Each structure stands twice: as structure tokens, then as C-alpha cells.
């Protein structure tokens, strides 16, 4: 069996840590060819520009075409800058580590930063910047309650840390425009800012839809129980490039679902090659780990459908837990390439097979 990995960059990007880069921190360099050394996997650096699912070919810019028997589609997602006027021209995102480095250099020379988007990425970015640059006034704009996915106590701790870091919050506010030096809110107010960081909304690559693969209204590949494309079964989609449903509902794209679906897809292909029966993918969420700078974090443990459970962590235990989660991908790759056995990061459990009961 021959395996080829296609990626635009030779560096493995730790998406979980992009907010640290934006705050001016240097991260370890993980070179993909070095990581793959000794595995027999061929690495092709380039952008996949087209897929011919009938001829089973992938076209890579600057390389040519690659034929396949089985394709794993893992293009992920990026921040959507197309909805609000001015975002594409004036706001920064955490899509590219090179741009994040550029942002960090500018933060060091400015006085005000506005982070738009109150999801986990926005919260982590705002706290990281505020902690690393206490002289900078950081404003966090969110259309909904911060930490709404958490329980009451975890949410209270989150706001305590935001207060300690001096982060200004504009809650229940929708951004209607971004200019070179301001963020305009729906109520007409204008927030003056030196830099705007946009973390709201996601979009996926149009490659699947343009290649004739069946996608949903968001552009995600529609998959069946074993993550195979319903229109082209030689393609499996994983992570936030796939429209995956479980008995409790639809999976939303995070590293929590990306890693298990990737491992499952690899194990499923290996099992089929051996003539074995492949069981359906089963997955349930277990936690919402949120870093709040380098000195604080909050971990909300969840039910399978990602609604908050009873338990949470703060303080030293939460920081340690979050760092362990963020550090998992690269060490896991290095360990598994030396293991001649199947590795399943998540098989789900009873909660993933039955509808979740609340109460």
C-alpha cells in the first residue's frame, strides 16, 4: 500500500495554538517530512486545485496529478471574512501562521486591539493578547453571551479572569462594518481600534463542491456511517470538512472530532484492505478546554452532544489539562508511526449510540 500526503506547507500548523502566535509567542517548528521520516509515506507539497472523483485523480498545483484508490479529504475550514463589509480588507484572522506572526509584530506597537467573535477562539485570543501585552486595551465583541456553552460556575470563572486581565466586553452586539481604524456596531457606536482580529464564522474550501462531490448547504461533504462520501464512496471526509451525523445530532468541527474521525478513517481503510467489516463511526464530545492566557484555563466537561455536564476544572489543574490537550497531535503522530497496531482515539460509548437525555 502506498500513502501520499498533500499539504501546501512543509510545516505542521498547530491550529490549537494560533492565538499564542498572535500574542507574540514562538512555537516549536514541526517539519512534516521529518515527522513522516521512516514511515514510507510520500509527502507532496502543494495546493490541491481539483479532484476528478470518477477518474480518481487529485490535481496538485506545481506537481501534477496523483491517482488514488482511496482518498481522505481533510481540508478543514477557515475564518469567514465575506459576510461583514470591511472584514476582508481591514481585519486580521488566525488562518495562517505567517499572518499571525505579522499581527503579533503590530500588536507590540499598538495601544488598542478589538477581537470580534465570542466563541472559544475569540476568548483564547483576547486573553492571550491581554496577558502578553498588559499595556494594550483589548475589547472583545460578541453577539451572544461569552461561554454560553459552559455551565454557570465555569462561566463565572471565565468572566473573573476576563476582569483580571482588564478585557472590555461588548456583549449582545453585532458588528456591521470594519474599517481601517474602527469597528462599527449594530447600535451605531464606533469602537476606535488600531487592530481588529476577526474570529467569527467559518467557511470550508469549495473544492469538494466544484469537483462534483455531494455537499451540504455549507459545502461539507455528506458522508454515511463509515464517513464515506454518499456520492463517491472511494472518498472519506473527516473533521470539519465532513457533514457527520450521530444519533444525538450533528458534529461540529473541532480538534475533538477531527482527530478521532481521522484515526477512524485510516483504520477503516486498513480494515477494508484486510477484508474486515467496518463498524460505523461513533463519537461523543467529552469536554470544552479553553486557555485563558498562559496562567489560567477552564475546562467544562460535557455530555456527548457537547452540552455542559456537572463537572469543570479551573486553576493549575485546568492549565495542565489544556496544555496536555494542545500538545497531543504531534506526539501522537510520532508514537503511532512506531506502533504496528490500529489506534482508535475515540469509539464513543453508550451516549453516542442513544439519543442524549437531558435533565
Amino acid at each position: 500500500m502506498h500513502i501520499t500526503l498533500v499539504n501546501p506547507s512543509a510545516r505542521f500548523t498547530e491550529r490549537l495554538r494560533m492565538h499564542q502566535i498572535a500574542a507574540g509567542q514562538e512555537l516549536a517548528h514541526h517539519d512534516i517530512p521529518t515527522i513522516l521520516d521512516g514511515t514510507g509515506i510520500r509527502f507532496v507539497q502543494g495546493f490541491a486545485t481539483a479532484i476528478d472523483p470518477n477518474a480518481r485523480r487529485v490535481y496538485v498545483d506545481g506537481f501534477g496529478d496523483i491517482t488514488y484508490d482511496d482518498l481522505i479529504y481533510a481540508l478543514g475550514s477557515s475564518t469567514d471574512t465575506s459576510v461583514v463589509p470591511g472584514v476582508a480588507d481591514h481585519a486580521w484572522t488566525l488562518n495562517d501562521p505567517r499572518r499571525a506572526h505579522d499581527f503579533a509584530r503590530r500588536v507590540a506597537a499598538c495601544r488598542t486591539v478589538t477581537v470580534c467573535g465570542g466563541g472559544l477562539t475569540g476568548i483564547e485570543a483576547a486573553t492571550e493578547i491581554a496577558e502578553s501585552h498588559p499595556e494594550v486595551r483589548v475589547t472583545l465583541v460578541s453577539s451572544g453571551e461569552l461561554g454560553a456553552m459552559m455551565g454557570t460556575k465555569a462561566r463565572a470563572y471565565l468572566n473573573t479572569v476576563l476582569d483580571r486581565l482588564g478585557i472590555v466586553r461588548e456583549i449582545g452586539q453585532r458588528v456591521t462594518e470594519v474599517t481601517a481604524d474602527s469597528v462599527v456596531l449594530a447600535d451605531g457606536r464606533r469602537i476606535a481600534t488600531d487592530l481588529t482580529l476577526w474570529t467569527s464564522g467559518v467557511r470550508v474550501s469549495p473544492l469538494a463542491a466544484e469537483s462534483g462531490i455531494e455537499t451540504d448547504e455549507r459545502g461539507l461533504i455528506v458522508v454515511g456511517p463509515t464517513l464515506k462520501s454518499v456520492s463517491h464512496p472511494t472518498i472519506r471526509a473527516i473533521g470539519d470538512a465532513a457533514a457527520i451525523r450521530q444519533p444525538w445530532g450533528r458534529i461540529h468541527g473541532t480538534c475533538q472530532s477531527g482527530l478521532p474521525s481521522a484515526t477512524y478513517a485510516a483504520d477503516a481503510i486498513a480494515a477494508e484492505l484486510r477484508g474486515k467489516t467496518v463498524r460505523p463511526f461513533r463519537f461523543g464530545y467529552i469536554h470544552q478546554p479553553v486557555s485563558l492566557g498562559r496562567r489560567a484555563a477552564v475546562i467544562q466537561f460535557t455530555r456527548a452532544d457537547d452540552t455542559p455536564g456537572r463537572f469543570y476544572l479551573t486553576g493549575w489543574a485546568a492549565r495542565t489539562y489544556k496544555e496536555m490537550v494542545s500538545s497531543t497531535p504531534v506526539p501522537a503522530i510520532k508514537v503511532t508511526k512506531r506502533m504496528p497496531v490500529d489506534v482508535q482515539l475515540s469509539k464513543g460509548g453508550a451516549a453516542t449510540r442513544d439519543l442524549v437525555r437531558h435533565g
Side-chain angles (χ1 to χ4, degrees):
M1 178 173 64
H2 301 284
I3 300 173
T4 299
L5 174 63
V6 179
N7 196 63
S9 171
R11 179 174 181 169
F12 175 73
T13 299
E14 296 182 274
R15 292 292 296 271
L16 287 173
R17 296 185 183 274
M18 291 288 279
H19 55 284
Q20 292 179 242
I21 298 177
Q25 300 168 28
E26 289 295 330
L27 303 183
H29 180 85
H30 298 297
D31 182 65
I32 294 176
T34 301
I35 294 173
L36 298 179
D37 185 43
T39 65
I41 298 172
R42 178 177 64 157
F43 175 64
V44 172
Q45 184 173 346
F47 285 91
T49 57
I51 300 172
D52 185 337
N54 297 316
R56 299 186 186 182
R57 291 180 182 273
V58 176
Y59 298 90
V60 181
D61 185 40
F63 179 83
D65 62 287
I66 301 172
T67 59
Y68 66 85
D69 295 312
D70 293 282
L71 174 68
I72 296 180
Y73 187 96
L75 292 190
S77 62
S78 59
T79 307
D80 190 353
T81 61
S82 65
V83 177
V84 176
V87 172
D89 295 325
H90 303 298
W92 296 74
T93 67
L94 298 179
N95 292 331
D96 186 325
R98 294 167 298 183
R99 291 280 289 167
H101 279 295
D102 290 342
F103 178 88
R105 285 189 284 270
R106 291 175 180 257
V107 167
C110 74
R111 299 177 61 184
T112 57
V113 172
T114 301
V115 179
C116 299
L120 301 188
T121 301
I123 291 170
E124 290 190 326
T127 52
E128 204 76 56
I129 294 167
E131 182 181 88
S132 298
H133 301 279
E135 74 285 357
V136 175
R137 177 184 172 91
V138 179
T139 300
L140 180 57
V141 181
S142 177
S143 59
E145 182 179 13
L146 297 176
M149 75 298 293
M150 299 179 182
T152 303
K153 294 181 179 180
R155 191 162 58 248
Y157 177 79
L158 164 64
N159 281 288
T160 297
V161 175
L162 296 177
D163 287 338
R164 174 174 62 78
L165 293 173
I167 296 174
V168 179
R169 278 95 85 190
E170 291 286 352
I171 309 301
Q173 292 292 336
R174 183 173 56 85
V175 176
T176 58
E177 184 183 3
V178 174
T179 70
D181 57 5
S182 69
V183 170
V184 183
L185 305 180
D187 63 6
R189 287 183 296 135
R190 187 180 294 265
I191 301 174
T193 184
D194 296 323
L195 290 176
T196 299
L197 182 62
W198 192 265
T199 68
S200 178
V202 296
R203 62 182 175 188
V204 299
S205 168
L207 180 60
E210 291 173 353
S211 301
I213 303 166
E214 184 173 340
T215 60
D216 68 4
E217 70 283 356
R218 299 164 296 162
L220 281 65
I221 294 179
V222 180
V223 298
T226 61
L227 304 190
K228 288 184 176 183
S229 161
V230 296
S231 62
H232 297 87
T234 57
I235 298 174
R236 277 186 165 92
I238 62 174
D240 46 5
I244 306 173
R245 295 199 65 86
Q246 295 291 279
W248 46 262
R250 189 179 67 188
I251 290 177
H252 57 84
T254 66
C255 65
Q256 223 181 136
S257 57
L259 287 171
S261 60
T263 304
Y264 171 89
D267 286 347
I269 291 174
E272 288 179 344
L273 289 174
R274 299 189 190 108
K276 295 183 178 180
T277 300
V278 177
R279 295 181 179 180
F281 178 66
R282 290 288 180 258
F283 172 80
Y285 292 96
I286 59 172
H287 60 195
Q288 295 164 350
V290 188
S291 64
L292 304 172
R294 294 298 88 199
R295 294 182 293 168
V298 58
I299 314 297
Q300 174 66 65
F301 293 100
T302 68
R303 301 181 180 91
D305 64 348
D306 210 27
T307 54
R310 293 175 55 191
F311 303 106
Y312 68 99
L313 288 178
T314 61
W316 176 86
R319 291 201 317 271
T320 303
Y321 187 104
K322 170 61 176 175
E323 181 59 28
M324 178 186 70
V325 170
S326 297
S327 301
T328 295
V330 174
I333 293 170
K334 292 180 178 179
V335 170
T336 55
K337 75 177 184 178
R338 296 182 177 90
M339 298 175 65
V341 295
D342 293 345
V343 178
Q344 294 271 355
L345 296 185
S346 173
K347 293 183 181 179
T352 70
R353 291 188 292 273
D354 303 315
L355 292 176
V356 177
R357 297 178 177 83
H358 302 280

